[in-house]
């Protein structure tokens, strides 16, 4: 009331999915929001190299997250898959062992991620902890991020790719 809390916070709707986009308040105080549901599951399928057609049914890349995986990408050696989990988490799955691990880059936010040609690091667009947007190289073992290219103030780098020779 009057711009100040009038009591303890209350959970209004416990079963909201992944995202809520606030739309605003009415003059009577009702709050309107949109529920954002972008559910997706990364899948793997075997293709016949001669015909280019599926030879079997696609299967889920992982069972860890239902409706929350996207952007699957093969490693340069073909032995691992990089995918995005819930809330932008970066996940790496070994196809040989089935082992999965989550990578937490030392950045404030990661927008997109791609394999570096060396297979030992990733190239990501995102924001450093001091809010500088740029393209970063992220070490797979440590999560350490090193700046490759900084964005000009007010500019955005939504996508980036690195050439196969890494130059």
């Amino acid at each position: 009331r009057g711009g100040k809390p009038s009591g303890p916070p209350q959970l209004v709707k416990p079963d909201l999915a992944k995202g809520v986009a606030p739309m605003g308040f009415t003059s009577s105080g009702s709050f309107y929001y949109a529920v954002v549901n972008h559910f997706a599951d990364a899948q793997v399928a075997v293709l016949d190299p001669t015909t280019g057609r599926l030879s079997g049914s696609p299967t889920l890349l992982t069972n860890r997250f239902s409706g929350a995986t996207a952007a699957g990408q093969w490693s340069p050696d073909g032995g691992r898959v990089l995918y995005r989990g819930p809330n932008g988490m970066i996940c790496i799955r070994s196809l040989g062992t089935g082992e999965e691990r989550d990578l937490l880059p030392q950045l404030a936010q990661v927008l997109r991620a791609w394999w570096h040609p060396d297979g030992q690091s990733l190239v990501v667009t995102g924001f450093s902890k001091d809010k500088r947007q740029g393209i970063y190289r992220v070490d797979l073992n440590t999560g350490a991020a090193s700046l490759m290219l900084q964005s000009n103030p007010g500019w955005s780098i939504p996508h980036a790719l690195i050439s196969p020779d890494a130059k």
Side-chain angles (χ1 to χ4, degrees), residues 74-100:
W74 298 103
S75 63
D77 65 5
R80 293 166 293 169
V81 176
L82 161 75
Y83 69 92
R84 299 299 298 268
N87 301 317
M89 179 189 315
I90 296 174
C91 307
I92 299 170
R93 179 180 177 83
S94 167
L95 298 176
T97 65
E99 177 187 350
E100 294 191 39

Side-chain angles (χ1 to χ4, degrees), residues 126 128 130-136 146-153 155-157:
S128 64
D130 62 357
K131 306 296 181 207
R132 292 184 305 163
Q133 185 181 16
I135 300 173
Y136 297 87
S146 56
L147 183 66
M148 296 174 70
L149 177 70
Q150 185 173 347
S151 173
N152 291 329
W155 288 43
S156 175
I157 304 174

Side-chain angles (χ1 to χ4, degrees), residues 6 8 15 44 46 48 56 78 85 99-100 108 120-121 140 150 156-157 164:
S6 62
D15 61 344
V44 179
V46 177
D48 180 318
E99 177 187 350
E100 294 191 39
Q120 302 306 307
S121 55
L140 287 180
Q150 185 173 347
S156 175
I157 304 174

Side-chain angles (χ1 to χ4, degrees), residues 60-148:
L60 290 176
L61 176 61
T62 183
N63 291 318
R64 287 177 56 199
F65 313 109
S66 178
T69 60
Q73 186 184 112
W74 298 103
S75 63
D77 65 5
R80 293 166 293 169
V81 176
L82 161 75
Y83 69 92
R84 299 299 298 268
N87 301 317
M89 179 189 315
I90 296 174
C91 307
I92 299 170
R93 179 180 177 83
S94 167
L95 298 176
T97 65
E99 177 187 350
E100 294 191 39
R101 69 183 195 96
D102 303 331
L103 180 65
L104 301 171
Q106 296 170 6
L107 293 167
Q109 182 182 13
V110 173
L111 302 174
R112 302 269 191 271
W114 298 266
W115 286 100
H116 187 280
D118 69 6
Q120 302 306 307
S121 55
L122 302 178
V123 175
V124 304
T125 57
F127 292 89
S128 64
K129 293 181 180 180
D130 62 357
K131 306 296 181 207
R132 292 184 305 163
Q133 185 181 16
I135 300 173
Y136 297 87
R137 184 174 181 171
V138 175
D139 183 277
L140 287 180
N141 295 315
T142 65
S146 56
L147 183 66
M148 296 174 70

Side-chain angles (χ1 to χ4, degrees), residues 21-84:
M23 297 171 69
F25 289 92
T26 65
S27 58
S28 66
S30 296
F31 176 64
Y32 281 84
Y33 59 90
V35 177
V36 181
N37 287 323
H38 296 287
F39 295 116
D41 280 315
Q43 298 184 0
V44 179
V46 177
L47 297 176
D48 180 318
T50 307
T51 65
R53 294 196 173 130
L54 289 177
S55 59
S57 298
T59 58
L60 290 176
L61 176 61
T62 183
N63 291 318
R64 287 177 56 199
F65 313 109
S66 178
T69 60
Q73 186 184 112
W74 298 103
S75 63
D77 65 5
R80 293 166 293 169
V81 176
L82 161 75
Y83 69 92
R84 299 299 298 268

